[in-house]
Amino acid sequence: MKPVASRPAPVVVGTGPVTVDEVVAVARHGAPIVVSDEAIAAVRAGRETIDRLVADPQPHYGISTGFGALATTFIPTADRTRLQQSLVRSHAAGSGAEVERETVRALMLLRLSTLLTGRTGVRPITAETYAAVLDAGITPVVHEYGSLGCSGDLAPLAHCALAVMGEGTVRDASGRLQPAAEALAAAGITPVVLAEKEGLALINGTDGMLGMLALAIDDLRLLLSTADITAAMSVEALLGTDAAFADDLQALRPQDGQRLAAANMRRMLADSPIVASHRGPECTRVQDAYSLRCAPQVHGAARDTLDHAAQVAERELAAAVDNPVVTADGRVESNGNFHGAPVGYVLDFLAIAVADVASMSERRTDRMLDPARSHGLPAFLAHDAGVDSGLMIAQYTAAGIVSELKRLAVPASVDSIPSSAMQEDHVSMGWAAARKLRTAVDGLTRVLAIEAMTAARALDLRAPLTPAPATGAVVAHLRTGIPGPGPDRHLSPEIEQAVAAVRSGSLRDAALARTLELH
């Protein structure tokens, strides 16, 4: 999410599992890639195993047979190159909107990482060409629909394999749409003519859903810290207390994420004149509403869910997913490692957490706009309530997004549907889970931005009382592009300014400059 000033350092692929940060660097920030010599040696060794089976009169799946429900069909030697080409062409059957560049780059990096384990049986030239296409910034056009998340993300990966063959449509490094053959020629890349097993190896993996999981982990690390910031701003704006966030209270319930979220909120509210103004015995309110008081509990549960998802991602990034696969002792075995259930489940878990964090944020926004609950703030934070509507409809926008996020929280991974003439009779729907999580992450970004914008206006309206140094720094940052309270004006551009501040990480950075530490 956060832009970088220059192209990051190269990512070396093939010396071990890639990390989430490396996926983000290549997919989102255009880091160059370097294929290790050790990886090419492993690829060469794996290919030797396949070459020994090519001449075997016994059928071997993916080498001398058809695919899926056609696995019992023996393919003569003369037709096996055409078999691999036909596989890729027929499986490049995606439909719908074009998938984002960063998603395609992530899935290509992860497929390359698996190719370089030597477990898929491709030739070195095939792995090297795949790497060259990715490194040249050539992005195959992949479509929204086409993957059931079992036998790999077949259609998305097939569109990428098609480009390596010099077929199909791509975008070059500048984003221009053109035939793959032209883009490869301009980059000095010779298309690959696939040999036995290679078409299958290029399309059989969980790389699409896993790539989107890696990107979502990066996004949510930022957004959950931001949620602590906006919640603290709302607590302060609503004359709430920070007493409920004390560390000894959090320690009574030893949930790691909760304790970190509470620590963030304490740092944000430290030395707040507004909080100090109602800390004495004259304040008759006993406890704050749940959307304020329980923010660490909800945000913390989301953090713990994210940690679990990151652990699953780390394991999957270390995997060599293909079917059949070349084993360490030289066997070629069919297996079920392509099933996307582990990734699909955590993608769905994260969508639930995202919806709940956003729901709590919207409730805080609504509370600041309601004079019956805002403890002295004007209705809808309007300049002249009645003539002006203030931020009334900004809350509608947040509420509409939250309603959509609740629908997106319905799990995709329980919705198996059989395919391939009932050979593939249970599928993960992990790609669908990943696609809806991407939409959910965008929705959470917008809901938090609206809360930040609302809380900033509310804090301005508490003058002459001033906010804490950290929350005040966030207000000041927003004020560089969003004016303070005043008569009604076109609100949508201001919301988008706040969204940009959340998405880029500049809002969090403004707070971090004063707190010096945020989890």
Side-chain angles (χ1 to χ4, degrees):
M1 282 177 104
K2 189 175 178 180
V4 292
S6 59
R7 201 179 193 201
V11 170
V12 179
V13 188
T15 57
V18 296
T19 66
V20 167
D21 288 344
E22 287 173 335
V23 173
V24 172
V26 171
R28 187 165 275 167
H29 304 311
I33 57 174
V34 176
V35 175
S36 70
D37 293 338
E38 297 89 341
I40 294 301
V43 171
R44 187 174 292 109
R47 183 63 197 182
E48 289 171 358
T49 298
I50 299 300
D51 287 339
R52 285 195 296 271
L53 297 177
V54 167
D56 191 341
Q58 293 296 316
H60 296 279
Y61 179 70
I63 299 171
S64 54
T65 72
F67 307 104
L70 301 175
T72 58
T73 303
F74 183 78
I75 307 298
T77 302
D79 292 333
R80 290 176 189 172
T81 293
R82 185 162 62 88
L83 168 71
Q84 301 300 319
Q85 312 278 26
S86 296
L87 174 73
V88 172
R89 290 169 183 148
S90 67
H91 284 51
S95 183
E98 186 177 340
V99 170
E100 313 82 18
R101 181 176 187 270
E102 67 177 16
T103 294
V104 179
R105 287 181 60 79
L107 75 87
M108 289 186 72
L109 175 67
L110 296 177
R111 182 70 333 213
L112 174 64
S113 179
T114 291
L115 297 178
L116 294 176
T117 64
R119 300 296 178 214
T120 70
V122 300
R123 296 168 298 159
I125 186 62
T126 302
E128 289 168 334
T129 303
Y130 204 95
V133 171
L134 177 60
D135 201 43
I138 296 171
T139 305
V141 172
V142 172
H143 299 280
E144 184 83 20
Y145 303 111
S147 175
L148 300 181
C150 205
S151 290
D153 288 315
L154 289 174
L157 283 164
H159 281 276
C160 297
L162 195 67
V164 176
M165 291 164 50
E167 300 179 25
T169 306
V170 302
R171 292 190 183 275
D172 65 14
S174 70
R176 185 167 66 92
L177 198 66
Q178 60 183 298
E182 293 180 11
L184 266 61
I189 300 170
T190 302
V192 167
V193 178
L194 299 179
E196 294 89 350
K197 176 66 171 64
E198 291 189 317
L200 194 59
L202 292 180
I203 68 173
N204 207 330
T206 58
D207 309 292
M209 65 183 90
L210 178 59
M212 286 185 276
L213 175 60
L215 294 170
I217 289 169
D218 184 60
D219 293 338
L220 290 172
R221 285 170 177 164
L222 169 62
L223 291 177
L224 293 181
S225 291
T226 304
D228 296 337
I229 293 167
T230 61
M233 294 171 70
S234 294
V235 167
E236 192 174 28
L238 286 163
L239 303 183
T241 179
D242 60 353
F245 310 139
D247 189 57
D248 61 340
L249 296 178
Q250 310 310 310
L252 294 174
R253 189 188 199 188
Q255 298 286 356
D256 293 341
Q258 173 183 322
R259 198 165 189 177
L260 293 175
N264 280 350
M265 294 184 69
R266 288 197 307 275
R267 290 189 181 98
M268 290 301 302
L269 294 169
D271 302 319
S272 168
I274 294 179
V275 172
S277 72
H278 57 90
R279 194 172 267 146
E282 68 279 0
C283 181
T284 58
R285 279 182 289 117
V286 176
Q287 52 190 12
D288 293 324
Y290 287 8
S291 60
L292 305 178
R293 186 171 17 128
C294 301
Q297 285 72 21
V298 171
H299 296 181
R303 285 172 175 272
D304 291 339
T305 302
L306 181 59
D307 285 346
H308 171 60
Q311 183 181 62
V312 171
E314 183 178 356
R315 293 170 182 160
E316 196 74 3
L317 288 167
V321 174
D322 194 15
N323 182 52
V325 68
V326 180
T327 65
D329 60 0
R331 299 178 351 262
V332 178
E333 298 284 358
S334 292
N335 65 93
N337 286 338
F338 50 74
H339 198 289
V343 182
Y345 287 175
V346 294
L347 288 162
D348 281 336
F349 295 165
L350 287 175
I352 292 169
V354 164
D356 205 34
V357 172
S359 178
M360 181 174 256
S361 170
E362 182 276 330
R363 288 294 79 206
R364 292 189 294 264
T365 295
D366 182 66
R367 185 168 287 270
M368 285 183 280
L369 301 179
D370 182 357
R373 295 178 292 150
S374 67
H375 306 293
L377 293 170
F380 304 107
L381 307 185
H383 178 72
D384 184 3
V387 174
D388 294 314
S389 296
L391 300 184
M392 178 193 294
I393 308 304
Q395 182 268 328
Y396 284 33
T397 300
I401 294 170
V402 167
S403 185
E404 175 68 11
L405 294 184
K406 291 174 182 177
R407 291 190 289 272
L408 292 171
V410 175
S413 55
V414 299
D415 193 27
S416 176
I417 189 167
S419 59
S420 194
M422 293 297 288
Q423 173 72 5
E424 299 168 7
D425 57 354
H426 185 279
V427 297
S428 77
M429 302 307 294
W431 174 272
R435 296 307 296 163
K436 69 185 182 68
L437 179 60
R438 282 188 70 85
T439 302
V441 167
D442 178 69
L444 176 59
T445 303
R446 296 176 185 280
V447 171
L448 293 176
I450 290 170
E451 181 183 11
M453 187 177 73
T454 303
R457 184 182 287 207
L459 289 169
D460 283 342
L461 291 170
R462 292 295 183 192
L465 291 172
T466 57
T471 55
V474 174
V475 174
H477 178 66
L478 290 172
R479 289 291 164 262
T480 61
I482 303 172
D488 282 355
R489 51 192 180 253
H490 186 192
L491 203 53
S492 181
E494 297 186 8
I495 293 174
E496 295 308 310
Q497 286 269 357
V499 169
V502 171
R503 179 173 286 133
S504 69
S506 67
L507 186 146
R508 183 186 62 177
D509 290 345
L512 194 56
R514 298 306 298 263
T515 64
L516 302 181
E517 182 182 6
L518 285 172
H519 300 290

